[in-house]
Amino acid sequence: MTTTSFARNQWYVAAYGSEIGRELFTRTVCGEPILFWRTEAGEVTAMADRCVHRRFPLSEKPSRLDGDTVVCGYHGFTYGADGVCVRVPGQKRVPRTARLAPYPVKEQDSFVWVWIGDKGKADETLIPRAPWLDSPRYTTIRGMEPLAARYGLLVDNLLDLSHETYLHGGYIGTPEVAETPITTEVDEKAGVVYVSRHMPDAECPPFYARSTGINGRITRWQDSEYHAPCLYLLHSRIAPVGTPDPAADGSDPGAFHVEVVYAITPETETSTHDFWAVARDFALDDQAVTDFLHENNRTVVLQDVVALNKLEQVVASESAGTQELSINIDTGGLAARRILERLVEAGATESAAAVR
């Protein structure tokens, strides 16, 4: 059974940068409601989305921005970009404890990352990269779907792509995906799981046939990496059968490349923010290809959402000790579960120590 606890002292994707502007914006991450907005200089700021006075959500109207301060719409408490209260109506003295908890935040690769845990441990160099998402050498489509299921179920789903054959037939699934064995590598220290499936002669699914123009069978590579707890990357290589493999220097002119990125952000114990993006290195300016891939990929994501929402209901209703069978195809997902459990335990231990 997948974990439902949160790994603390970790970076999580809270939003796309394009979602945050000069309007108050809120999103719950790991059970914590967080308020986001951009300063007049364009910097993203993040703080607790609850006024210290009577807990009114600052994201709710009539709360508003006034320059680089946030004015609570309930009683007028006013906060600066650092979360410190600068004005209390009806009195000159502002209590020292009148401050909102700030969150370390970093805008990178089109995502806004937020640190959940001890602020002193927030190391920006630990944020995994997805540089294709804002690279001029790629064209990217993106979206976010709410998932009424625990985040571990989505991790399982993405590390076992054999489900494409059955759940996503007619879009990205073909028989070869389920029938081709995988290789799995685990970097326990870095908390990264690698799962690869190389199909030398496979049917070309409509998702790639219509976007690349390939007719006939293809060589299809799926190389996944999961950076616990939040980021999943799928490096997809598609080429007509017989195309030479990539050269030693990495050049691969005969193939099409698609970088699929998922940010798997827990909202609550049983709900998840499912951020998805697909970057391609071909037909960069072809709007018809962009529209086709966006519509089809969102359809695929929603198929997963429907399945995982149902699975959450099943898992939540099971009694303790219900058997779950795993097979060879599950090695990546099982490794991810072990890493997540370790991160959750480490975060809980650090939090307990801080309290003492």
Side-chain angles (χ1 to χ4, degrees):
M1 188 172 297
T2 52
T3 181
T4 57
S5 298
F6 308 134
R8 299 186 65 80
N9 292 329
Q10 299 290 329
W11 291 99
Y12 291 92
V13 170
Y16 289 110
S18 58
E19 292 184 275
I20 299 176
R22 292 288 294 162
E23 296 287 337
L24 299 174
F25 176 89
T26 189
R27 184 153 282 152
T28 298
V29 178
C30 296
E32 301 185 16
I34 304 174
L35 180 73
F36 298 90
W37 48 279
R38 288 188 187 271
T39 65
E40 292 181 326
E43 298 297 316
V44 176
T45 185
M47 60 191 71
D49 186 19
R50 295 289 186 272
C51 180
V52 298
H53 178 227
R54 287 296 179 264
R55 317 308 297 151
F56 188 75
L58 294 167
S59 57
E60 291 289 327
K61 293 184 182 301
S63 299
R64 59 186 173 85
L65 277 178
D66 181 7
D68 276 347
T69 62
V70 148
V71 182
C72 177
Y74 192 20
H75 292 104
F77 276 57
T78 302
Y79 303 88
D82 57 0
V84 175
C85 185
V86 296
R87 179 175 178 269
V88 174
Q91 63 183 61
K92 293 183 177 180
R93 188 182 69 84
V94 177
R96 287 186 303 104
T97 56
R99 59 183 61 214
L100 303 171
Y103 288 80
V105 65
K106 174 69 173 179
E107 192 166 5
Q108 179 174 284
D109 299 332
S110 84
F111 286 131
V112 172
W113 294 81
V114 65
W115 177 264
I116 301 296
D118 182 348
K119 294 189 295 293
K121 297 181 182 294
D123 181 353
E124 293 180 359
T125 66
L126 299 177
I127 300 175
R129 299 302 307 268
W132 319 278
L133 300 189
D134 56 10
S135 168
R137 296 188 300 109
Y138 289 81
T139 294
T140 300
I141 57 170
R142 55 175 59 88
M144 194 278 279
E145 306 301 333
L147 181 64
R150 64 197 72 189
Y151 74 104
L153 294 178
L154 182 54
V155 176
D156 281 349
N157 171 277
L158 294 171
L159 286 172
D160 177 9
L161 294 180
S162 68
H163 78 273
E164 289 183 351
T165 299
Y166 305 98
L167 192 58
H168 307 311
Y171 292 92
I172 58 175
T174 67
E176 294 82 9
V177 180
E179 296 301 324
T180 303
I182 61 169
T183 61
T184 304
E185 297 181 20
V186 182
D187 185 336
E188 295 282 356
K189 183 176 181 181
V192 183
V193 179
Y194 302 90
V195 177
S196 292
R197 176 186 285 102
H198 287 189
M199 295 161 273
D201 186 348
E203 177 185 335
C204 188
F207 188 84
Y208 290 125
R210 286 191 55 184
S211 59
T212 66
I214 294 177
N215 293 311
R217 297 182 70 79
I218 59 171
T219 295
R220 184 178 181 186
W221 293 4
Q222 294 176 323
D223 295 312
S224 303
E225 23 179 314
Y226 169 60
H227 298 254
C230 187
L231 198 69
Y232 169 88
L233 311 174
L234 171 61
H235 314 291
S236 258
R237 177 181 184 268
I238 309 97
V241 168
T243 301
D245 286 352
D249 64 0
S251 60
D252 192 19
F256 300 85
H257 303 91
V258 173
E259 301 291 345
V260 180
V261 180
Y262 279 81
I264 309 162
T265 301
E267 179 186 34
T268 68
E269 291 283 350
T270 56
S271 61
T272 304
H273 304 301
D274 182 357
F275 296 90
W276 57 268
V278 178
R280 68 180 190 274
D281 69 353
F282 57 92
L284 300 185
D285 300 318
D286 192 323
Q287 188 61 44
V289 171
T290 296
D291 293 343
F292 169 78
L293 290 177
H294 187 278
E295 178 184 354
N296 276 255
N297 199 77
R298 184 166 187 265
T299 296
V300 167
V301 171
L302 290 175
Q303 288 173 334
D304 281 333
V305 166
V306 170
L308 296 179
N309 286 353
K310 176 57 66 175
L311 187 55
E312 172 63 36
Q313 296 172 14
V314 172
V315 171
S317 67
E318 289 179 339
S319 58
T322 300
Q323 182 184 13
E324 180 187 64
L325 177 66
S326 295
I327 57 176
N328 292 341
I329 207 73
D330 299 309
T331 54
L334 293 174
R337 290 186 188 186
R338 292 194 303 270
I339 291 172
L340 281 173
E341 288 171 1
R342 188 180 75 237
L343 292 178
V344 169
E345 291 171 1
T349 300
E350 291 172 357
S351 297
V355 170
R356 289 198 296 270

